Amino acid sequence: MQGRARKLEHRATAMTIVVALQALAAAFFLADLAGDLASEPADGHLIVEGIAAVALLISVVLGAIQIRHLVLAARADEAAVAVARGALAQLVQLRFAQWHLTPAEADVALFALKGCDVAEIATLRGAAAGTVRAQLARIYAKAGVASHTALLALFVEELIDTSLLHAAGTEGEKTA
Amino acid sequence: MTATTNTRRWDPVVKLTHWTIVAAILANAVITEEGSAAHVWVGYALAAILALRLLWGLIGPAEARFTAFPPSPVRALRHIGEIRRGEQAEHASHNPLGALMVYAIWSCLGVIIATGIAMAGFPPQGESHEEDRPAAYASAEYGEESEEGEEAREGGEGHEEDGMEELHEVAVNLLYLLIVLHIAGVVFETRRSGRQVVLAMLPRRR
Ligand code: HEM
Ligand code: HEM
């Protein structure tokens, strides 16, 4: 669920390595330049070298600013996902209660929402596939849906409605 | 030395610079031969990475900035009071004692780098020799020395290189002491707060 934040973090780390290498290069460049400046008068060649060194330093600074953006974006993303996750967890609890799911059914329904199929749920719960299939059928009936996908869509649809239209209360009941 | 809220970790720049600096210090203390070309190259690399961390202290995210952990003895004393009373305050960045330690380590590294470069010269080269030293450079070194004060003179003979060498060595030994205290501080804080202080500094696995 936090793929995007993770990806941003990875990019920030990769960028950090690049910027660190640039900083190393800049240090050696500057040291070399300082040595040359001390031993010979500044000529065209040294001026070009100096400009290159300054360019490298600027790219280090810009790279660092870029890293800051990536780090902050990853954190914002993480925070947004945490909020969404909290909201979804609340919604799931609320719906399960409204549908009067038994504890066992709630368990199965949660696995179903997480994307598990009948065989996987059966293994996870140490139950027979037939039992799980029967439980799923009761869950679908209580929720008023006909399929696994429709059950998932119920929650996705409600979340999208709440965040964008603020009209989930009425829209949400319009089941598949 | 405190990480922020239980799950917050240090950003990749703080982590990478920390462990690169640790590696560079280890390399120069244990592996490279004192004053050899390798020693000086590692030294320059250390300087570059430290500079990157200092830049990050100006433009990084809030908790990595200098403003997040000012070197304040007053706050450090207050923090000691907190520890005595067994209070647990959250710190967004380094705790006040940790902050003092960080600045002490950085200053120490600054002296080591300055004296090291003064001995090795530009461009990076190993064991330097007075005779092939450009004149402009030698005078720059005088400037250094007057700044570094009497300690440099202690080497006797009035020979500036000896002074630099002495200062380099003194600063290195001071750094070793600080590192021991630093690690002791990390261990102490981990025990005291029960927070995964070290984890916050490690690369994220998962
Ligand atoms: C923080 C990591 C470093 C450590 C632990 C370290 C350690 C040492 C030690 C123990 C010595 C021998 C001092 C003596 O007894 O004479 C030495 C010498 C030397 N160091 Fe470093 N050093 C470090 C960083 C640097 C840096 C950053 C530079 C330069 C860029 C540098 C350049 C030199 C030179 C040129 C000598 C030769 C002194 C001489 O014998 O003439 N070192 N270093
Ligand atoms: C050569 C030895 C070491 C040196 C010079 C050193 C130096 C530093 C410095 C300068 C910082 C401040 C980081 C920043 O804000 O950029 C720091 C933080 C930290 N170091 Fe080290 N360190 C060393 C070894 C270690 C080791 C071996 C550990 C692991 C046990 C460690 C764990 C930490 C932790 C956890 C922090 C964060 C402290 C906090 O949360 O406030 N360090 N270190």
Side-chain angles (χ1 to χ4, degrees):
Chain A
M1 233 209 284
Q2 290 195 287
R4 213 182 90 92
R6 195 74 46 74
K7 226 180 256 165
L8 284 168
E9 265 169 28
H10 285 163
R11 272 175 55 197
T13 305
M15 191 79 192
T16 303
I17 294 170
V18 170
V19 170
L21 291 175
Q22 280 179 342
L24 289 178
F28 293 119
F29 220 125
L30 284 174
D32 189 48
L33 186 66
D36 289 352
L37 275 178
S39 59
E40 51 190 280
D43 58 3
H45 170 70
L46 281 191
I47 292 173
V48 171
E49 245 183 51
I51 292 174
V54 170
L56 206 46
L57 282 182
I58 291 175
S59 76
V60 168
V61 174
L62 293 181
I65 291 172
Q66 182 74 22
I67 297 170
R68 192 203 26 216
H69 286 315
L70 289 171
V71 168
L72 295 184
R75 284 182 192 168
D77 201 284
E78 230 162 41
V81 169
V83 168
R85 187 191 279 146
L88 186 58
Q90 264 186 336
L91 184 65
V92 167
Q93 248 178 355
L94 189 71
R95 287 289 173 267
F96 285 7
Q98 284 175 344
W99 298 335
H100 303 296
L101 298 190
T102 65
E105 285 168 356
D107 227 30
V108 171
L110 205 55
F111 283 130
L113 286 183
K114 284 267 183 191
C116 301
D117 62 21
V118 173
E120 283 167 339
I121 299 175
T123 322
L124 284 167
R125 287 180 48 79
T131 317
V132 172
R133 216 170 277 119
Q135 283 169 320
L136 275 177
R138 277 199 299 280
I139 293 165
Y140 294 164
K142 287 177 178 178
V145 297
S147 69
H148 189 175
T149 329
L151 183 71
L152 292 177
L154 210 54
F155 288 94
V156 174
E157 185 198 33
E158 280 192 284
L159 265 197
I160 291 173
D161 281 354
T162 36
S163 57
L164 293 184
L165 304 176
H166 302 286
T170 50
E171 289 280 298
E173 307 303 329
K174 196 175 63 189
T175 49
Chain B
M1 323 218 153
T2 326
T4 54
T5 47
N6 26 18
T7 52
R8 174 54 51 85
R9 285 154 175 269
W10 291 100
D11 62 65
V13 175
V14 171
K15 287 184 200 171
L16 188 83
T17 54
H18 179 259
W19 294 114
T20 310
I21 288 173
V22 171
I25 292 174
L26 273 181
N28 265 4
V30 182
I31 301 170
T32 64
E33 195 187 322
E34 317 167 342
S36 65
H39 184 88
V40 175
W41 282 103
V42 170
Y44 267 91
L46 174 69
I49 297 301
L50 181 62
L52 178 61
R53 174 61 184 94
L54 297 182
L55 170 69
W56 198 239
L58 296 175
I59 67 171
E63 82 283 353
R65 294 197 190 191
F66 301 132
T67 47
F69 56 105
S72 157
V74 176
R75 288 180 21 158
L77 285 177
R78 214 181 307 144
H79 183 68
I80 292 176
E82 276 168 17
I83 294 176
R84 282 246 190 79
R85 293 191 297 277
E87 286 167 17
Q88 298 265 353
E90 281 284 334
H91 299 280
S93 184
H94 303 296
N95 72 43
L97 275 178
L100 286 186
M101 177 58 74
V102 171
Y103 289 107
I105 290 178
W106 284 343
S107 317
C108 223
L109 285 175
V111 172
I112 292 170
I113 290 166
T115 52
I117 290 179
M119 289 188 286
F122 311 116
Q125 57 196 221
E127 207 79 82
S128 57
H129 304 286
E130 290 291 295
E131 51 276 14
D132 54 40
R133 209 52 98 65
Y137 179 65
S139 65
E141 199 175 66
Y142 269 113
E144 268 286 342
E145 196 188 351
S146 54
E147 258 176 42
E148 305 290 2
E150 313 78 12
E151 237 176 320
R153 293 247 168 255
E154 266 174 31
E157 289 116 51
H159 206 279
E160 67 222 51
E161 180 113 334
D162 288 339
M164 284 299 158
E165 197 176 324
E166 183 117 329
L167 192 51
H168 193 73
E169 205 180 349
V170 168
V172 165
N173 286 328
L174 182 57
L175 179 70
Y176 292 159
L177 177 67
L178 291 177
I179 290 171
V180 170
L181 289 176
H182 165 58
I183 294 176
V186 169
V187 171
F188 174 76
E189 183 63 19
T190 305
R191 293 209 169 162
R192 191 175 81 87
S193 68
R195 251 169 304 181
Q196 294 302 329
V197 178
V198 177
L199 269 192
M201 197 45 107
L202 291 180
R204 174 174 288 204
R205 284 155 303 182
R206 246 189 299 160

